Amino acid sequence: MKKRRGVSTLDYVLVLGVILPLAAFILRVGPQIMNLAYEMISVLVAWPFL
């Protein structure tokens, strides 16, 4: 049976180096993306009435 030394270290590197920056980016840009999506849907719904 092979020894699996260092595998948990790779998990920590993945969480700290990839997941946390990605989550911070999403939390920072998420409200702006939601606002733009809301505006786009509003335009698509309202344009026939203009």
Side-chain angles (χ1 to χ4, degrees):
M1 193 179 239
K2 291 183 178 181
K3 293 189 177 190
R4 296 185 43 155
R5 297 177 117 187
V7 175
S8 63
T9 304
L10 290 175
D11 291 339
Y12 286 124
V13 168
L14 178 68
V15 168
L16 293 177
V18 177
I19 305 296
L20 287 179
L22 189 61
F25 176 75
I26 288 172
L27 287 175
R28 188 170 184 88
V29 180
Q32 184 179 5
I33 291 173
M34 289 168 52
N35 189 20
L36 290 173
Y38 175 77
E39 288 180 7
M40 185 173 64
I41 290 172
S42 297
V43 168
L44 288 174
V45 169
W47 76 265
F49 304 107
L50 295 176

